[in-house]
């Protein structure tokens, strides 16, 4: 398969917009599946985990490969729930393009914006698919306007719906000016549709919106501008070329419509993936650094270049961990040795697979542009670079959010203790947003994650999938600490034990500071008062002490530590002494600066029918919520604001009760804020 005809795409959206249903239809129409899976029946190929089928949601990103019109499409279906946003993050990091699915009724929802920002971060070209056009209240042009206004990008409709709500029966292609009309006979599975002339009642609108489409393209594409201004005839081929160019350059997004559940419009989405989204060759050369000299190096997406790949996902397996990789350059064969350049560790790739959700097909090699899974890696985790041993490169790593919720877990018997430790390390390797640590004060094993659902799924997987017999406590909020003022403090560690002793002496300045890292460290030593090797130990002591907590045992964030002075002993100074001196100084400094307890604040969006609005607002106010905006979306009222996470445990049950099951809400981490005195006293 030539690289020009390869597409690496993801399906991404807000929860319940229809991503997985869209993916299932794609697999059926491309011949990858012989039967259409349905989310409500728990029969989806891409939602293969027991927890996914039971809950009817996507939890883990699933990859597969299918073919359409001589094009190879490597497809990843991603979760929509914010608790599993890491799956979207790491998928978008390695994809060349994405299909963003929007609900025709709900439009641009909270998680839609989160996914969009993630795609922006990695410069991923997108096409938009407005789904559920058969639903009551679906409005294609309203959603197009919301994409324009709320996502900050020009949205250009390249289709119009034929019929509305229950009467939706097809789409008008504004490029070819033809109507695609689908039969309502469900036995035909949406395979048969007729290409017809545009119905008379839609001709005027089609002509208006085709003109708007061409005008929108001409505003963004230079070579088309001149033809448009000179009133020259613009061919369908030129329109397609302009859509492709503008989409790849992130100048706009083409918007399509359909109904995945009713099997209408999916084949046209596949056509658009091939026509408008980039191949690996359309993307620029990947840029990284040479670990030997920190100089910038690049790799073109060619199989003749030195091998480079990014590990973007780990999946535990009884036959060995599967490491999903995206190959950016060169090729790798089964049995070959590569290097993990960030860790300077040699790795053996023993077997290579093409994945289809949880089933696999063994192959001999992966080349530039390919996505696959390998077995045999010992040291590699999510975000690591694999490359040629003789020409190393380190690609940009992925950043993952901090956990906001935790719970205690303990094995029921001593015999289960070792098994629990093994399972937790496996789960943490799979999921970078799942963490474990031992509470030094209580001796309890603590697991942390991104939300109640995240930890609930982890807990259920431990009990059912791994058969671990353990007691799990109630979820608790992951608080943080910071300081309120600037202080200067001295730290000394001096021990005389006969023979060599220990001597470490530092002065540090501690101050509130919001930087890119939780703790910003600066070396301000002049005149070599402390040698470089010990400065590294000072930094390590500061960072590790801050991570384990000082006053209340919660991690320190939003501080800056500047090493200003210190002294050494010609014989007794050591790395350990300076590490300990730095730790002592930080603890004293936090005590002097009066630590402040910070609590995680979540942004929320609640959608409820009008008649429940008053009760919902009254109830959410009782949870220390700050309501920022209220609006309307279709026949629902939307409430947006922020609220402390500690107040939201069990809210899903309460909302269901108030609204008779008709209300929904989403939350995502916003920031940390100082906690009120009553919260401080309750957790101190």
């Amino acid at each position: 398969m030539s690289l020009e005809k390869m597409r690496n795409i993801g399906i991404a959206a807000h929860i319940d917009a229809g991503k997985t249903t869209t993916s299932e239809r794609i697999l059926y129409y491309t011949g990858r599946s012989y039967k259409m899976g349905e989310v409500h029946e728990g029969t989806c190929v891409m939602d293969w985990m027991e927890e996914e089928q039971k809950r009817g949601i996507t939890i883990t990103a699933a990859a597969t490969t299918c073919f359409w019109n001589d094009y190879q499409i490597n497809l990843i279906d991603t979760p929509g729930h914010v608790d599993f946003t890491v799956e979207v993050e790491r998928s978008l990091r390695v994809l060349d393009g994405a299909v963003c699915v929007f609900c025709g009724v709900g439009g641009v929802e909270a998680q839609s914006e989160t996914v969009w920002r993630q795609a922006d971060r990695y410069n991923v070209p997108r096409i938009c698919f407005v789904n559920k056009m058969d639903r009551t209240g679906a409005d294609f042009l309203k959603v197009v306007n919301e994409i324009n206004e709320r996502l900050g990008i020009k949205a250009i409709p390249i289709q119009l719906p034929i019929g509305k709500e229950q009467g939706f029966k097809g789409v008008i292609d504004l490029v070819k000016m033809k109507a695609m009309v689908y039969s309502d006979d469900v036995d035909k599975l949406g395979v048969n549709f007729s290409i017809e002339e545009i119905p008379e009642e839609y001709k005027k609108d089609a002509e208006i919106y085709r003109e708007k489409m061409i005008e929108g393209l001409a505003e963004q594409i230079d070579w088309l501008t001149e033809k448009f201004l000179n009133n020259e005839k613009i061919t369908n081929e030129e329109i397609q070329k302009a859509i492709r160019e503008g989409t790849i350059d992130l100048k706009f997004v083409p918007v399509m419509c359909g109904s995945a559940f009713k099997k209408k419009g999916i084949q046209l989405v596949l056509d658009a993936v091939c026509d408008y989204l980039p191949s690996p060759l359309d993307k620029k050369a990947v840029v990284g650094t040479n670990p030997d000299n920190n100089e910038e190096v690049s790799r073109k997406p060619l199989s003749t270049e030195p091998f480079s790949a990014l590990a973007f996902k780990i999946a535990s397996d009884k036959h060995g961990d599967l490491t999903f990789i995206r190959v950016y350059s060169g090729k790798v064969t089964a049995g070959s040795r590569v290097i993990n350049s960030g860790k300077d560790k040699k790795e053996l790739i023993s077997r290579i697979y093409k994945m289809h959700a949880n089933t696999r097909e063994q192959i001999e090699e992966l080349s530039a542009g390919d996505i696959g899974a390998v077995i045999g890696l010992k040291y590699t985790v999510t975000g690591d670079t694999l490359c040629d041993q003789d020409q190393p490169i380190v690609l940009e790593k992925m950043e993952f959010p901090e956990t906001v919720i935790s719970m205690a877990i303990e094995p029921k018997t001593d015999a289960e203790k070792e098994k629990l430790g093994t399972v937790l390390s496996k789960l943490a390797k799979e999921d970078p947003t799942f963490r474990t640590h031992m509470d030094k004060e209580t001796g309890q094993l603590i697991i942390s994650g991104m939300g109640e659902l995240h930890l609930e799924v982890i807990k259920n997987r431990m009990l059912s999938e791994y058969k671990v017999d353990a007691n799990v406590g109630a979820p608790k909020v992951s608080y943080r600490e910071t300081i309120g003022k600037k202080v200067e403090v001295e730290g000394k560690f001096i021990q005389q034990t006969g023979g060599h002793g220990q001597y470490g002496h530092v002065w540090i300045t501690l101050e509130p500071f919001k930087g890119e890292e939780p703790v910003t460290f600066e070396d301000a030593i002049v005149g070599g008062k402390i040698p470089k090797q010990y400065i590294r130990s000072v930094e390590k002591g500061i960072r590790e002490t801050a991570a384990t907590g000082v006053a209340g045992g919660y991690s320190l964030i939003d501080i800056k530590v500047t090493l200003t002075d210190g002294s050494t002993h010609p014989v007794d100074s050591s790395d350990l002494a300076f590490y300990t001196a730095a730790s002592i100084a930080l603890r004293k400094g936090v005590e002097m600066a009066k630590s402040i307890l910070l609590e995680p604040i979540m942004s929320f969006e609640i959608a409820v029918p009008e008649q429940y609005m008053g009760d919902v607002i009254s109830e959410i106010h009782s949870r220390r919520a700050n309501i920022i905006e209220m609006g309307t979306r279709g026949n629902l009222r939307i409430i947006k604001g922020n609220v402390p996470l500690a107040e939201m445990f069990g809210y899903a049950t309460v909302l269901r009760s108030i609204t008779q099951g008709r209300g929904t809400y989403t939350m995502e981490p916003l920031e940390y804020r100082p906690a009120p005195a009553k919260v401080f006293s309750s957790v101190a």
Side-chain angles (χ1 to χ4, degrees), residues 518-566:
V519 177
T520 301
F521 179 81
E522 186 175 303
D523 168 22
I525 292 292
V526 292
K529 285 189 174 181
I530 300 177
K532 288 290 182 189
Q533 70 186 80
Y534 297 147
I535 291 173
R536 285 196 293 271
S537 298
V538 170
E539 181 178 358
K540 187 179 179 186
I542 295 291
R543 292 194 183 281
E544 291 188 1
T545 304
T548 54
V550 175
Y554 304 112
S555 299
L556 280 165
I557 63 170
D558 297 340
I559 63 167
K560 181 178 180 181
V561 179
T562 306
L563 178 61
T564 57
D565 202 357

Side-chain angles (χ1 to χ4, degrees), residues 118-413:
Q118 289 172 307
D120 280 343
R121 184 152 57 244
Y122 297 118
N123 296 316
V124 178
R126 281 143 271 176
I127 57 177
C128 297
F129 176 59
V130 181
N131 190 25
K132 303 191 178 184
M133 290 305 300
D134 58 308
R135 293 280 185 93
T136 301
D139 187 333
F140 176 65
L141 294 176
K142 178 180 80 71
V143 179
V144 172
N145 289 333
E146 285 187 11
I147 295 169
N148 265 308
E149 292 165 11
R150 295 180 59 182
L151 301 180
I153 191 164
K154 187 174 185 64
I156 299 180
I158 61 172
Q159 293 178 346
L160 289 177
I162 299 174
K164 58 188 293 188
E165 300 177 346
Q166 287 86 351
F168 174 70
K169 58 183 181 180
V171 299
I172 295 167
D173 183 339
L174 295 176
V175 177
K176 297 176 181 174
M177 288 301 276
K178 292 289 183 183
M180 284 69 177
V181 181
Y182 287 79
S183 165
D184 281 330
D185 183 353
V186 292
D187 290 334
K188 292 186 178 176
L189 295 169
V191 174
N192 298 320
F193 60 88
S194 55
I195 299 175
E196 306 171 3
E197 293 302 316
I198 297 170
E200 198 61 41
E201 66 267 34
Y202 292 99
K203 271 188 178 174
K204 188 176 179 184
D205 276 351
E207 286 165 2
I208 291 170
Y209 279 95
R210 177 182 165 90
E211 193 61 29
K212 283 185 177 181
M213 174 185 72
I214 295 172
E215 187 178 333
L217 295 175
E219 285 175 4
Q220 303 294 330
I221 307 299
D222 292 341
W223 58 264
L224 195 65
T225 308
E226 195 174 336
K227 293 195 80 165
F228 179 75
L229 293 175
N230 293 334
N231 288 321
E232 294 178 38
K233 185 182 179 187
I234 297 170
T235 66
N236 293 349
E237 289 73 22
E238 288 172 325
I239 293 173
Q240 285 186 308
K241 181 184 174 188
I243 294 172
R244 176 175 174 76
E245 188 177 310
T247 302
I248 291 173
D249 291 343
L250 301 171
K251 292 180 176 177
F252 54 76
V253 288
V255 190
M256 311 174 73
C257 60
S259 169
F261 183 64
K262 291 293 179 67
K263 313 168 187 74
K264 296 174 182 175
I266 302 300
Q267 296 95 329
L268 303 179
V269 172
L270 282 164
D271 288 341
V273 165
C274 300
D275 290 342
Y276 306 133
L277 289 181
S279 73
L281 290 176
D282 293 310
K283 303 288 280 184
K284 295 174 183 173
V286 67
V287 176
T289 55
N290 184 328
D292 297 332
N293 53 27
N294 283 330
E295 289 181 2
E296 187 177 285
V297 288
S298 63
R299 297 279 187 270
K300 294 176 184 173
L302 301 171
S303 58
T304 52
E305 288 268 296
F307 169 68
S308 67
L310 190 79
F312 68 94
K313 178 180 168 71
I314 312 291
S316 291
D317 188 271
K318 58 187 176 186
H319 303 299
D321 286 345
L322 276 171
T323 304
F324 288 74
I325 65 171
R326 159 70 193 265
V327 181
Y328 283 99
S329 63
K331 58 186 176 183
V332 65
T333 56
S336 58
R337 291 194 176 275
V338 297
I339 190 168
N340 180 324
S341 51
K343 295 176 176 168
D344 195 25
K345 295 281 190 181
K346 290 182 180 179
E347 295 273 32
L348 171 66
I349 292 180
S350 57
R351 292 194 296 282
I352 302 176
Y353 297 101
K354 274 286 184 188
M355 299 302 296
H356 179 48
N358 64 327
T359 61
R360 58 180 78 170
E361 171 195 341
Q362 190 165 346
I363 57 175
E364 285 307 307
E365 73 171 25
L366 289 172
S367 295
D370 273 333
I371 290 175
V374 301
I375 277 184
L377 307 185
K378 291 182 179 179
Y379 309 103
T380 301
V381 297
T382 299
D384 284 354
T385 303
L386 300 170
C387 61
D388 188 295
Q389 297 182 63
D390 298 324
Q391 300 199 52
I393 182 174
V394 179
L395 302 175
E396 180 190 358
K397 289 184 78 73
M398 289 178 258
E399 298 295 328
F400 300 114
E402 285 293 312
T403 58
V404 296
I405 190 171
S406 59
M407 58 171 65
I409 183 169
E410 58 181 28
K412 287 187 177 177
T413 65

Side-chain angles (χ1 to χ4, degrees), residues 401-661:
E402 285 293 312
T403 58
V404 296
I405 190 171
S406 59
M407 58 171 65
I409 183 169
E410 58 181 28
K412 287 187 177 177
T413 65
D414 285 342
E416 291 285 300
K417 187 177 282 188
E418 189 176 334
K419 186 178 179 184
L420 176 62
T422 303
V423 169
L424 289 177
S425 65
K426 272 188 176 184
L427 291 169
K429 192 175 181 182
E430 276 189 29
D431 183 352
T433 58
F434 173 65
R435 317 269 168 83
T436 68
H437 74 277
M438 189 67 74
D439 187 309
K440 290 183 179 177
E441 289 186 10
T442 65
Q444 286 182 305
L445 186 59
I446 306 295
I447 60 174
S448 306
M450 298 305 297
E452 278 187 278
L453 180 61
H454 187 200
L455 290 188
E456 179 77 13
V457 168
I458 291 280
K459 180 183 79 174
N460 288 350
R461 285 189 66 194
M462 282 192 294
L463 299 176
S464 62
E465 192 177 321
Y466 291 102
K467 312 295 183 197
V468 174
D469 202 10
N471 293 317
V472 181
K476 292 182 180 179
V477 172
S478 294
Y479 293 96
R480 296 287 185 269
E481 291 178 71
T482 192
I483 56 171
K485 64 179 182 179
K486 183 175 180 178
V487 295
E488 191 173 0
V489 63
E490 181 184 30
K492 277 186 178 180
F493 181 64
I494 302 173
Q495 275 188 352
Q496 213 59 49
T497 54
H500 282 315
Q502 296 286 354
Y503 184 97
H505 174 219
V506 298
W507 278 92
I508 61 170
T509 301
L510 198 59
E511 58 190 307
F513 181 77
K514 278 189 179 286
E516 291 184 3
E517 297 180 285
V519 177
T520 301
F521 179 81
E522 186 175 303
D523 168 22
I525 292 292
V526 292
K529 285 189 174 181
I530 300 177
K532 288 290 182 189
Q533 70 186 80
Y534 297 147
I535 291 173
R536 285 196 293 271
S537 298
V538 170
E539 181 178 358
K540 187 179 179 186
I542 295 291
R543 292 194 183 281
E544 291 188 1
T545 304
T548 54
V550 175
Y554 304 112
S555 299
L556 280 165
I557 63 170
D558 297 340
I559 63 167
K560 181 178 180 181
V561 179
T562 306
L563 178 61
T564 57
D565 202 357
S567 62
T568 61
H569 187 280
V571 177
D572 292 347
S573 286
S574 67
D575 288 327
L576 174 63
F578 274 93
Y579 176 99
T580 310
S583 179
I584 291 168
L586 182 65
R587 291 177 186 279
K588 283 170 63 178
V590 170
E591 195 175 325
M592 288 168 60
K594 305 293 183 192
S595 75
I596 299 168
L597 183 73
L598 302 174
E599 62 178 346
I601 304 297
M602 313 294 282
S603 64
F604 67 81
E605 180 177 298
I606 305 171
V608 294
E610 173 78 43
Q611 64 263 42
Y612 305 112
M613 186 81 165
D615 290 341
V616 170
I617 288 176
S618 174
E619 206 283 333
I620 198 73
H621 266 310
S622 72
R623 296 172 182 265
R624 294 196 283 136
N626 174 30
I627 293 176
I628 295 171
E629 181 185 337
M630 290 189 282
T632 304
R633 186 183 296 148
N635 57 359
L636 295 174
R637 296 301 302 274
I638 307 299
I639 308 161
K640 294 183 180 181
N642 51 66
V643 63
L645 173 62
E647 304 288 345
M648 293 299 282
F649 290 145
Y651 184 66
T653 305
V654 173
L655 183 64
R656 275 198 302 271
S657 174
I658 294 174
T659 64
Q660 296 180 14

